[in-house]
């Protein structure tokens, strides 16, 4: 097994002390030119790589910030990471990505490890925001934190979010204008702030204009969307008009799952059921039936959050916490086109 040369081997090869090697690496102006060159030659010959992380830990900090996401498999968070990395690279900082999997205990373990590694700060879409949470302990001990895709009413941290209430209203207004009078909301758990707000937004938009039912899901995945669709498809197949003619999903993964299951069961989209998702991930437009979705500025969320975190880190106590809220945009595609009436469909079939 090949071992990496250390500073002792470099000193031995160059015929100098370990302190001299350290000076060449950190304060080269203190070392005579000929001696410095011998050390550099030894470094090149041995392939020595300095242990920068250990040096940074001794100094009390690292060149890393962390981004803790709810679901690393969700393309929404992939774009958020891309934006955060772009901002961090401008400052010579690396982003470490952790996946909580929407699990509070897993989130706590990640925060424990990140604090042990003395990361400079944490970007997070939290699962647990309780007053005594591990996240609050991290903030109280002096680690800068910025919430991502989540608003915050507290003055102890910055946040970057999208107005999810407005996003839910945009979806609701669109579906009501398309003539839908029974809409199903698919999403969960409601303890996730984004899910709660998107449901609240559509409920506000359709109040007194359409019936809104809820199909809860344990998480925000394609599989959960397919499971929810089985319930909705059963209602669609039943006789009578009292069934959902449209579905609004809390994110695009759920919506893609609903679309897949409906297509497999022979339920037509949008003729039998219209579908609107949330996030407008890249796959939304490429779906078998292009998916209408509420668009979020995903990369901008990550870039802005990282910029706020780095500003707090570098401002040395002068930073003022800010809460940035972006506006969503409804992108209308084929999945939510105006449904034909049953009479129109029957007439078309007899021609």
């Amino acid at each position: 097994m090949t071992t990496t040369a250390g500073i002792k081997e470099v000193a031995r090869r160059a015929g100098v002390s370990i302190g001299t090697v350290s000076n060449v690496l950190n304060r080269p102006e203190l070392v005579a030119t000929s001696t410095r060159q011998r050390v550099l030659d030894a470094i090149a010959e041995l392939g020595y790589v300095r242990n920068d992380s250990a040096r940074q830990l001794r100094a009390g900090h690292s060149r890393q910030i962390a981004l803790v996401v709810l679901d690393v498999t969700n393309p929404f968070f992939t774009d958020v990471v891309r934006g955060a990395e772009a901002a961090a690279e401008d400052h010579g900082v690396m982003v470490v990505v952790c996946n909580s999997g929407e699990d509070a205990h897993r989130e706590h373990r990640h925060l424990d490890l990140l604090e042990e590694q003395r990361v400079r700060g944490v970007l997070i879409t939290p699962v647990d925001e309780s007053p005594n949470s591990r996240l609050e302990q991290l903030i109280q001990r002096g680690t800068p934190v910025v919430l991502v895709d989540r608003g915050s009413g507290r003055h102890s941290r910055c946040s970057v979010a999208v107005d999810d209430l407005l996003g839910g209203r945009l979806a609701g207004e669109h579906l009501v204008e398309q003539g839908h009078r029974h809409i199903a909301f698919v999403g969960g758990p409601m303890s996730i702030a984004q899910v709660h707000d998107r449901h609240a937004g559509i409920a506000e938009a359709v109040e007194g204009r359409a019936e809104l039912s809820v199909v809860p899901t344990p998480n925000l995945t394609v599989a959960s969307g397919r499971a929810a669709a089985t319930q909705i498809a059963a209602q669609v197949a039943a006789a009578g008009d009292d069934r959902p003619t449209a579905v609004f999903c809390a994110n695009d993964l759920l919506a893609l799952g609903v679309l897949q299951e409906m297509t497999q069961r022979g339920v037509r989209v949008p003729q039998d059921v219209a579908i609107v998702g949330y996030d407008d991930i890249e796959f939304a437009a490429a779906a078998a039936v292009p998916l209408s979705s509420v668009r979020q500025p995903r990369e901008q969320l990550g870039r802005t959050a990282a910029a706020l975190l780095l500003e707090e880190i570098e401002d040395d106590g002068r930073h003022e916490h800010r809460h940035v809220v972006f506006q969503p945009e409804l992108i209308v595609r084929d999945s939510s086109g105006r449904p034909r009436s049953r009479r129109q469909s029957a007439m078309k079939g007899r021609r």
Side-chain angles (χ1 to χ4, degrees):
M1 181 176 66
T2 302
T3 58
T4 303
I7 194 169
K8 290 181 180 179
E9 288 76 18
V10 172
R12 189 178 303 119
R13 177 66 64 91
V16 299
S17 68
I18 293 174
T20 299
V21 177
S22 179
N23 282 338
V24 170
L25 293 172
N26 300 297
R27 296 178 295 277
E29 70 280 0
L30 300 179
V31 184
T33 302
S34 59
T35 304
R36 185 166 69 243
Q37 190 58 52
R38 286 208 318 275
V39 172
L40 293 174
D41 289 343
I43 287 172
E45 291 170 12
L46 296 171
Y48 168 75
V49 177
R50 68 189 298 172
N51 189 349
D52 204 41
S53 61
R55 180 179 62 83
Q56 290 162 11
L57 285 174
R58 286 194 296 272
H61 60 77
S62 71
R63 289 182 182 171
Q64 298 176 341
I65 61 174
L67 173 54
V68 185
V69 301
L70 290 176
D71 180 6
V72 75
T73 66
N74 188 336
F76 167 81
F77 287 111
T78 302
D79 291 338
V80 171
V81 170
R82 188 178 294 118
E85 286 182 331
E89 286 172 3
D90 293 341
H91 291 256
V93 173
M94 184 175 72
V95 179
V96 178
V97 180
C98 302
N99 178 36
S100 71
E102 300 177 22
D103 183 330
H105 295 295
R106 190 173 180 181
E107 176 180 280
H108 297 172
R109 290 196 298 273
H110 282 315
L111 294 178
D112 285 342
L113 290 171
L114 292 171
E115 188 170 29
E116 288 176 12
Q117 292 298 313
R118 301 183 192 175
V119 294
R120 302 296 303 278
V122 175
L123 306 167
I124 185 170
T125 305
V127 179
D128 183 5
E129 287 190 83
S130 61
N132 297 317
S133 69
R134 184 64 181 82
L135 181 62
E136 284 301 316
Q137 295 172 10
L138 193 71
I139 295 170
Q140 290 167 10
R141 287 203 281 261
T143 299
V145 168
V146 174
L147 301 192
V148 183
D149 194 31
R150 185 72 57 82
S152 174
R154 303 182 185 181
H155 300 295
S156 59
R157 60 202 179 196
C158 291
S159 66
V160 178
V162 172
D163 188 343
D164 286 319
L165 283 168
L166 174 59
R169 287 198 297 269
L170 291 173
E173 291 285 351
H174 169 64
L175 292 173
V176 170
E177 288 170 2
Q178 292 292 84
H180 297 284
R181 294 297 175 262
H182 186 170
I183 302 166
F185 174 82
V186 173
M190 287 292 180
S191 57
I192 297 176
Q194 295 96 319
V195 176
H196 175 274
D197 288 351
R198 292 166 194 178
H199 171 260
I202 190 172
E204 180 181 311
V206 306
E207 185 176 6
R209 305 164 70 188
E211 179 183 349
L212 181 67
S213 57
V214 176
V215 181
T217 61
N219 50 44
L220 302 169
T221 63
V222 172
S224 288
R226 297 195 69 148
T230 61
Q231 299 180 48
I232 299 167
Q235 296 178 50
V236 172
D241 294 328
D242 186 23
R243 51 87 171 175
T245 59
V247 179
F248 173 46
C249 297
N251 76 353
D252 281 344
L253 295 185
L254 288 170
L256 290 170
V258 170
L259 176 61
Q260 289 175 10
E261 189 67 23
M262 291 296 184
T263 301
Q264 186 170 324
R265 289 170 175 270
V267 178
R268 300 170 303 167
V269 177
Q271 293 92 336
D272 298 322
V273 175
I275 304 172
V276 176
Y278 206 107
D279 291 336
D280 195 33
I281 61 176
E282 186 176 348
F283 300 134
V289 179
L291 186 66
S292 296
S293 185
V294 179
R295 175 179 292 171
Q296 302 197 78
R298 303 176 300 278
E299 286 195 33
Q300 195 173 1
L301 277 170
R303 181 183 287 273
T304 303
L308 287 173
L309 185 67
L310 292 164
E311 178 186 299
E312 182 174 355
I313 291 167
E314 295 170 0
D315 276 3
D316 193 24
R318 298 186 300 273
H319 174 78
E320 293 185 6
H321 294 300
R322 301 197 299 279
H323 305 294
V324 180
V325 179
F326 292 101
Q327 301 301 297
E329 176 187 5
L330 177 66
I331 306 300
V332 177
R333 300 190 180 95
D334 295 350
S335 71
S336 63
R338 187 176 183 87
R340 295 185 181 91
S341 70
R342 289 176 179 166
R343 183 181 178 187
Q344 288 173 318
S345 297
M347 289 175 62
K348 182 176 179 180
R350 288 197 294 268
R351 289 173 185 170

